[in-house]
Amino acid sequence: MAHTLNLVAADTKNVTDRQYNTLARPVFSKACALWNRVKRSSKASDFVEEKLNIGFVTPNDTRWNSMFLSMQRLSHIATLTPQASNLTTPDDPAPEYDRLLLHTVCDEFGLRRFSPQEIDFIHNFVSVMNPLAAALNILQGEKTTFLGYLVPTIVQLKNDLRGLLDESSKPTATEGLTACRPLIQAMMQAICKRLDDTLEEKENILAAVLLPMFKLDWVEDEIQHLQYTVMLKQEVQSVSVVGSEPAATSGSERKASTSSFFKFNRSPATITKSEVDIYLDAPTSDVFTEYLFLPKLKKLFIKYNTAIPSSAPVERLFSTGGQIFRPRRNRLGDANFEKQLVLNANKKLFGLT
C-alpha cells in the first residue's frame, strides 16, 4: 500500500494547469540547483551549516517522501532570518522577505533568488502534501501498525484534502494556495482511481472496525455504519470458541438454572446484548484489554489484523539481511545468519544501539 501511495504522489507530476506550473517549475529548478551544489561540494555544505545552523535535505529517486522532506526543510529554511544581535542596526527597516538567510545562500552560490510568490508556493506545497506524507509514514510503520489502519488512514487523507480544496477556493486564500488547487485535485483523483476499491473490501473494513482505537468512528454515513455493524455480527456468528472457559460445576449449573427463572426488573437489552454490541458501545481506546472479555472478537481481530498494510517493514528486513550476508561472509550457516538478523533488526530491544 505504501507503493500505491507513492504512485499517487507520482501522479501529481502530471498536473498541466498553467498557473500551477508557472510557479512550480521555477521553484523546483532553483531548489534542484541548491541541492546539487550542496550535495557535490563539501565547502558549500559547510557554508550552509555555518550560516543557517542547519543543512539542506537532498532528495533521491528511490522514495517520494524524500522529495517531501527536502521541500519541508527548504520551507523551514525559507523562514530563517538573522538574529537581532547579528543585525547591523537593531531597528532594521528591511522587510522580512529581504532579510531571509536563504537569499544569502543563493547569493553566495551565484544562484537566482526565490521570489515572494515562489516562497509562498513552497510553504503551501508542503502544507498540501503533508497529509499524504503523514499517511505514508503511518502505513509503512512496523511497530504499532495493523491492517486496520488502512481504511481509516485513507478516509482521513481524503477528508484533509477536501478541507484544503475548500480552503483554496476562499477569497482569503493566498496566491500560493490557489496555485496548488490543481495539485490537490490531482491527488484526490489519483486516490479515487487507485484506492477506492480498497475501501470497499470486506477484509479491510472488518480489520478497521476491530481496532479499538477506531471501531466505527471513521464511518460518517449512517447507512454504512449500520451495514458494517451487521457485517461484523454476521462474521461473529461464524466464529466458534472452544475451551475458552472451564466447565461449570454441577452446583454452579444449578445456581444458574435457578437464577435464570427470575427475571424481575431485568432489561431485555441487557439480557440479549451481544459481544459486538458491548464492543461498539464502549468508547474507543488505544489498548486491547476489552478483548480479554470478548473471545470471539479477539479471534476475529487476530484473523484480520495479523497482516500489515505495507511491505516496507519486510523490505527493511531484506535490506538488513543484505548488509549481513556480504560476499566475504558467504560461508555463514543458516542458524548463525538468522541470529544475526534478529539481533540487527531488534537493536533497540536488546540495547545494542
Side-chain angles (χ1 to χ4, degrees):
M1 188 51 59
H3 178 65
T4 305
L5 284 180
N6 272 300
L7 293 178
V8 170
D11 288 344
T12 60
K13 297 179 180 179
N14 302 324
V15 177
T16 58
D17 182 80
R18 184 176 179 180
Q19 183 183 6
Y20 173 79
N21 287 323
T22 300
L23 282 172
R25 286 173 180 170
V27 163
F28 284 108
S29 175
K30 294 175 183 179
C32 287
L34 271 175
W35 294 329
N36 289 335
R37 179 62 64 89
V38 171
K39 185 166 58 174
R40 294 172 182 174
S41 171
S42 58
K43 183 178 179 180
S45 179
D46 292 341
F47 173 81
V48 171
E49 292 280 352
E50 180 183 352
K51 198 69 181 176
L52 307 178
N53 293 323
I54 191 173
F56 286 100
V57 175
T58 56
N60 59 62
D61 298 330
T62 307
R63 298 170 64 187
W64 166 83
N65 59 348
S66 70
M67 172 60 76
F68 170 77
L69 294 174
S70 301
M71 291 297 291
Q72 189 179 47
R73 178 60 61 85
L74 181 61
S75 175
H76 172 66
I77 290 175
T79 64
L80 300 178
T81 57
Q83 298 295 327
S85 58
N86 297 332
L87 297 176
T88 54
T89 56
D91 299 326
D92 192 345
E96 195 76 11
Y97 166 77
D98 293 334
R99 298 194 292 110
L100 292 178
L101 290 176
L102 180 61
H103 296 330
T104 306
V105 175
C106 291
D107 294 343
E108 175 68 21
F109 298 158
L111 303 175
R112 292 178 299 163
R113 288 186 174 189
F114 291 88
S115 68
Q117 294 78 13
E118 290 169 349
I119 288 180
D120 181 51
F121 175 83
I122 292 171
H123 296 322
N124 284 285
F125 176 86
V126 171
S127 298
V128 166
M129 301 303 289
N130 187 61
L132 181 61
L136 189 59
N137 287 336
I138 290 171
L139 294 181
Q140 66 184 7
E142 56 183 302
K143 296 295 182 183
T144 57
T145 299
F146 302 93
L147 183 61
Y149 277 78
L150 178 57
V151 175
T153 300
I154 297 173
V155 170
Q156 185 62 57
L157 174 59
K158 294 174 74 172
N159 291 341
D160 289 344
L161 292 177
R162 286 194 202 99
L164 287 168
L165 190 63
D166 293 340
E167 189 70 25
S168 67
S169 61
K170 293 180 178 179
T172 55
T174 63
E175 182 181 349
L177 182 58
T178 304
C180 287
R181 184 177 174 83
L183 176 65
I184 302 170
Q185 293 171 333
M187 276 197 292
M188 294 181 68
Q189 292 171 2
I191 290 171
C192 291
K193 174 184 174 183
R194 298 182 181 276
L195 298 173
D196 270 4
D197 291 341
T198 303
L199 300 179
E200 299 174 0
E201 293 180 7
K202 178 182 176 181
E203 292 78 8
N204 296 333
I205 293 170
L206 287 174
V209 176
L210 287 165
L211 267 181
M213 72 174 298
F214 294 127
K215 297 187 179 180
L216 287 168
D217 284 359
W218 54 276
V219 184
E220 297 178 354
D221 185 79
E222 290 296 330
I223 296 177
Q224 284 187 334
H225 195 286
L226 181 60
Q227 288 175 343
Y228 297 163
T229 302
V230 173
M231 183 190 298
L232 182 59
K233 288 183 177 181
Q234 290 174 345
E235 195 71 15
V236 167
Q237 290 176 357
S238 64
V239 176
S240 59
V241 181
V242 181
S244 60
E245 296 180 358
T249 61
S250 58
S252 61
E253 287 177 353
R254 194 181 309 114
K255 182 179 180 180
S257 175
T258 304
S259 61
S260 65
F261 175 77
F262 302 101
K263 301 181 178 65
F264 304 118
N265 298 324
R266 287 194 183 182
S267 171
T270 305
I271 298 173
T272 61
K273 209 168 187 180
S274 64
E275 279 194 21
V276 174
D277 293 327
I278 296 171
Y279 172 73
L280 294 179
D281 289 346
T284 55
S285 172
D286 292 336
V287 296
F288 301 89
T289 51
E290 55 193 304
Y291 279 131
L292 296 174
F293 312 101
L294 305 171
K296 291 185 177 180
L297 287 178
K298 177 183 176 182
K299 194 171 183 178
L300 285 178
F301 173 84
I302 295 172
K303 175 182 177 181
Y304 288 107
N305 276 297
T306 298
I308 53 179
S310 172
S311 62
V314 180
E315 293 171 5
R316 294 190 197 107
L317 196 63
F318 276 105
S319 178
T320 303
Q323 295 171 4
I324 297 171
F325 200 74
R326 296 178 179 178
R328 292 188 177 184
R329 307 184 72 185
N330 59 3
R331 301 295 296 274
L332 279 175
D334 293 345
N336 191 359
F337 171 74
E338 289 176 3
K339 290 175 183 177
Q340 291 194 44
L341 183 60
V342 170
L343 288 172
N344 273 272
N346 297 279
K347 286 181 179 179
K348 293 183 179 179
L349 184 64
F350 292 105
L352 300 177
T353 54

